Amino acid sequence: MCKNKIYILLTDTGTLFTRMIKLYTKAPYNHASVAFDHHLIEVYSFGRKTPRNPFIGGFVKENLRAHYFKQARCAIYSCDVTTEQLERMQQFIHKIDRQKHLYSYNLLGLFAITIKKRFIRKNAFFCSQFVATLLQECGIVNYTKEPFFMTPQDLIKSEKFQLVYQGDLENYYKHQDMIVENERQLVM
């Protein structure tokens, strides 16, 4: 059985919106994304569609080298998945991407967590709800909490996740760039 890796990225961008969330969660990271490669090129989540406005959100393919993530702190976790699980995840993502106009950010659901109330909206997710749904629907993790109660920290509580890196996101990329450059020089 072929093993592949996926990555869960938890971030803190330091924006006003994430600082407000942090007041409630008391957690170091308050945004969750899923990536299909260790270079973090294919990274997906539900979040801001425009960096300056946290209230306009939906399904996003995140560019982690963009200004919005420049000062971000992060924790990156890996998880082994089978080829079948990886393909199911990619199909799930591509289906949402093709129909992204039908999806929205579940801001009300995010606030419902604070009062421990179930609030489900069709085709609406907040970041950790999306990642938890993806992981459960594709048979990777079975969480005890329902996805609409999941926080970013809840996502990585499974023994399936291994910490790969923790620190400034920019430093992770510098490290990855050095690895790529070293590999390139070895080939020459």
Side-chain angles (χ1 to χ4, degrees), residues 38-162:
H38 70 276
H39 295 292
L40 306 180
I41 295 169
E42 274 193 81
V43 182
Y44 302 95
S45 189
F46 268 69
R48 298 173 187 217
K49 288 192 172 186
T50 57
R52 298 193 192 280
N53 189 339
F55 301 105
I56 298 174
F59 178 74
V60 290
K61 180 176 181 186
E62 295 177 326
N63 176 1
L64 300 181
R65 292 186 185 238
H67 177 73
Y68 177 71
F69 287 99
K70 264 299 190 215
Q71 304 300 316
R73 296 209 26 84
C74 70
I76 301 168
Y77 293 82
S78 68
C79 175
D80 291 332
V81 296
T82 66
T83 299
E84 180 184 335
Q85 289 170 323
L86 181 64
E87 288 171 357
R88 287 175 64 192
M89 290 179 73
Q90 290 170 330
Q91 289 170 1
F92 187 99
I93 296 280
H94 291 170
K95 177 184 176 220
I96 290 175
D97 190 37
R98 283 190 310 273
Q99 301 174 343
K100 64 182 155 204
H101 63 282
L102 300 175
Y103 288 84
S104 60
Y105 187 76
N106 191 5
L107 186 62
L108 295 175
L110 184 64
F111 290 116
I113 288 178
T114 63
I115 56 173
K116 297 178 179 26
K117 293 289 181 188
R118 176 187 291 217
F119 188 81
I120 303 171
R121 291 177 52 212
K122 184 178 180 187
N123 294 341
F125 296 96
F126 50 86
C127 63
S128 51
Q129 177 187 21
F130 164 71
V131 174
T133 300
L134 175 67
L135 294 172
Q136 283 193 172
E137 298 237 348
C138 296
I140 296 160
V141 179
N142 288 318
Y143 293 109
T144 56
K145 281 185 178 180
E146 296 181 79
F148 48 81
F149 285 129
M150 295 289 286
T151 67
Q153 282 65 254
D154 292 330
L155 294 170
I156 46 115
K157 287 183 178 172
S158 168
E159 68 282 348
K160 292 183 179 193
F161 294 103
Q162 306 299 316

